[in-house]
């Protein structure tokens, strides 16, 4: 008789439980949210509202000539920017070749496997595959005021995937004043694979927003910015703005699954303040596992001046 009463109690409770289950299911499903359920439009709008520049939206044009070639019209975000004049050219940068090919406007780049950005792209694509499979995906951006002994990263649930690439380099030259820029081998191919997987690319630089037109044009000419993709340029917004704050703003709207930079501080500014280089040993596992030390994506070409014969007689 006790068993019968228990069965009746369970049957009576089922209609009440069904409502609770319906309320719980969406929360449980968040961890396995697929790409189709992510609001990319809102993420894009919120990032642009925070000051990022949408590279897919032209706002005027700038004419920049290629060395020894006709001028090419490219997009510009800020028509009022009076930056460095002169022509520039984009060429593939082969780290193992001599400079004999530097006079060519474009040096063919090899495939993804030859690129210093290969591991960076492969890691991001692996995270995309995990998301497609309904598995959890982790951000690689540290939370503000992180505990370096027990580091945590910003939440990723419900956000579209993106990568961060740092454009600045103390050894790469001045990006917006360069007459000739060299592009890393395989970078265009790597970005193409990221775009095919619907992974956005967010370019970070400490150049001011006023330089957005010039930098947008350079990225376009270099083949690093593709129309129709949710790619962004995040520059110094003025005041007390810091690159670290822009990383956090990007991570609040996008799940940052990989960062490429040529210095450890390109991953988090805490590396600029460590008294001991190994003071953040708990973060070592992040390198090559979301954080990738890479050469700068664009490098200013340095040409030695051609020696001129002495005009003096005797």
């Amino acid at each position: 008789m006790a068993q019968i009463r228990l069965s009746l109690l369970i049957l009576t409770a089922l209609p009440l439980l069904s409502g609770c289950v319906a309320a719980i299911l969406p929360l449980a499903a968040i961890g396995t949210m697929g790409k189709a359920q992510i609001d990319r439009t809102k993420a894009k709008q919120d990032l642009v509202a925070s000051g990022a520049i949408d590279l897919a939206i032209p706002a005027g044009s700038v004419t920049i000539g290629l060395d020894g070639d006709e001028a090419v019209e490219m997009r510009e975000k800020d028509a009022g920017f009076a930056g460095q004049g002169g022509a520039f050219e984009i060429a593939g940068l082969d780290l193992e070749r001599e400079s004999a090919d530097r006079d060519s406007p474009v040096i063919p780049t090899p495939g993804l496997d030859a690129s210093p950005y290969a591991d960076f792209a492969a890691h991001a694509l692996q995270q995309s595959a995990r998301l497609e499979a309904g598995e959890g995906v982790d951000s690689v951006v540290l939370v503000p005021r992180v505990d370096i002994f027990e580091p945590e990263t910003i939440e990723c649930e419900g956000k579209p995937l993106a990568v961060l690439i740092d454009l600045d380099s103390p050894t790469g030259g001045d990006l917006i004043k360069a007459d000739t820029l060299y592009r890393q081998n395989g970078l265009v191919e790597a970005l193409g694979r990221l775009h095919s997987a619907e992974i956005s690319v967010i370019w970070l630089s400490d150049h001011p927003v006023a330089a957005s037109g010039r930098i947008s044009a350079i990225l376009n000419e270099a083949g690093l910015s593709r129309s129709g993709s949710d790619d962004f340029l995040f520059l110094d917004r003025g005041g007390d703005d810091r690159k670290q704050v822009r990383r956090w703003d990007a991570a609040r709207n996008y799940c940052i699954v990989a960062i490429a930079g040529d210095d450890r501080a390109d991953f988090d500014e805490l590396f600029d303040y460590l008294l001991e280089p190994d003071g953040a040993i708990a973060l070592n596992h992040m390198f090559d596992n979301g954080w990738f030390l890479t050469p700068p994506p664009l490098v200013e070409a340095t040409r030695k001046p051609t020696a001129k014969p002495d005009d003096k007689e005797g």
Side-chain angles (χ1 to χ4, degrees), residues 73-157:
E73 186 177 79
M74 293 180 291
R75 298 173 298 172
E76 183 181 48
K77 300 295 179 185
D78 184 358
F81 169 57
Q84 173 74 13
F88 75 87
E89 60 180 340
I90 300 291
L93 176 62
D94 190 330
L95 301 178
E96 297 179 356
R97 293 174 65 170
E98 298 296 331
S99 60
D101 291 329
R102 286 187 176 178
D103 291 332
S104 173
V106 177
I107 298 174
T109 57
L112 182 64
D113 292 340
S115 171
Y117 282 79
D119 291 341
F120 161 78
H123 180 84
L125 291 168
Q126 183 181 42
Q127 304 314 302
S128 177
R130 287 174 60 88
L131 184 62
E132 290 284 7
E135 300 177 19
V137 178
D138 296 324
S139 171
V140 296
V141 177
L142 302 179
V143 298
R145 297 177 295 278
V146 66
D147 181 348
I148 62 174
F149 300 106
E150 296 182 1
E152 298 180 21
T153 58
I154 292 177
E155 289 290 332
C156 253
E157 292 176 353

Side-chain angles (χ1 to χ4, degrees), residues 117 120 163-167 187 191 201-204 258-260 297:
Y117 282 79
F120 161 78
V163 297
L164 294 179
I165 302 179
D166 198 289
L167 276 168
L187 182 53
L191 296 179
V201 179
I202 303 174
W203 302 91
L204 283 178
I259 303 176

Side-chain angles (χ1 to χ4, degrees), residues 283-295:
L283 295 173
N284 286 351
H285 72 284
M286 299 290 292
F287 291 96
D288 296 325
N289 187 34
W291 294 353
F292 295 88
L293 284 166
T294 59

